[in-house]
Amino acid sequence: MVILLVYVDDIIITGTDSGLITKLQQVLHATFHMKDLGQLMYILGMEVHHRPNDIFLNQLKYIQDIITLVGLEDTSSVATPMEINVKYRKDEGALLHDPTIYRCLVESLIYLATTHPDIFYVIHQVSSVIGLVAYNDADWAGCPDTHRSTTVSSYYPAPLHADNTSAIQIAANPVFH
């Protein structure tokens, strides 16, 4: 068996038959301009470490690059990164100096959450069927500008875990729907 994985201009060739792998490499070299970088060490933000019977993946360098990108090398973590019960308005506060860094950070964190199993588990509380799970302490019409809820509804039904007594009572009693 030979497995060929292609992502844009990166190719990983692996399998159980080294002879077939060599033949495939020869065909690819004859057809495309490419170079063999040897044993897989790094791909898509993941470091690959080989042991005799195992392969280990980690994203330490990727995480360190994210921290450096946003200038958080000399900071420490906090239990609650946002103030509680604060109402933010769209016209208040300073604009981001460079919004592309913020966008890059959000994209990197989304990628990290989907590729890092322990973070993925914490964020998504994975069950036998992967799906959206929402946690909410709703503030009805909480946005001072639009007077809408600050949460977004999904097109697909999702379990909702709430610590809001009114929401729990309404959900438990269909008469109030």
Side-chain angles (χ1 to χ4, degrees):
M1 174 176 45
V2 174
I3 299 171
L4 176 74
L5 302 166
V6 179
Y7 181 80
V8 186
D9 63 348
D10 293 326
I11 298 174
I12 300 172
I13 303 172
T14 188
T16 57
D17 189 333
S18 59
L20 281 176
I21 292 173
T22 303
K23 286 181 185 178
L24 177 59
Q25 287 175 321
Q26 291 169 349
V27 169
L28 290 173
H29 279 286
T31 309
F32 303 103
H33 174 71
M34 55 188 282
K35 60 182 172 180
D36 186 353
L37 298 177
Q39 190 174 38
L40 181 64
M41 302 300 285
Y42 194 83
I43 187 155
L44 301 175
M46 291 180 271
E47 294 176 64
V48 181
H49 300 277
H50 302 270
R51 302 289 189 272
N53 294 318
D54 298 310
I55 296 175
F56 294 95
L57 303 175
N58 79 51
Q59 292 178 295
L60 180 61
K61 182 183 179 317
Y62 186 79
I63 293 168
Q64 288 172 334
D65 289 345
I66 294 171
I67 290 170
T68 302
L69 171 73
V70 294
L72 296 175
E73 301 92 349
D74 298 324
T75 59
S76 58
S77 62
V78 294
T80 306
M82 294 183 64
E83 296 177 45
I84 298 173
N85 299 322
V86 174
K87 302 288 184 186
Y88 294 103
R89 300 184 85 92
K90 66 180 179 179
D91 297 327
E92 289 180 352
L95 294 176
L96 293 173
H97 173 69
D98 185 2
T100 57
I101 292 175
Y102 174 77
R103 290 183 195 115
C104 184
L105 174 63
V106 171
E107 291 170 359
S108 297
L109 292 174
I110 290 170
Y111 175 72
L112 185 64
T114 58
T115 59
H116 210 273
D118 56 342
I119 294 174
F120 184 84
Y121 178 78
V122 170
I123 291 174
H124 297 284
Q125 295 295 303
V126 176
S127 63
S128 59
V129 177
I130 297 175
L132 174 66
V133 177
Y135 293 86
N136 189 325
D137 182 7
D139 58 340
W140 194 264
C143 178
D145 297 309
T146 63
H147 302 292
R148 294 182 182 167
S149 175
T150 55
T151 59
V152 178
S153 298
S154 172
Y155 293 108
Y156 304 101
L160 176 63
H161 305 278
D163 65 350
N164 182 305
T165 306
S166 299
I168 294 169
Q169 290 175 350
I170 289 171
N173 189 344
V175 172
F176 294 119
H177 288 209

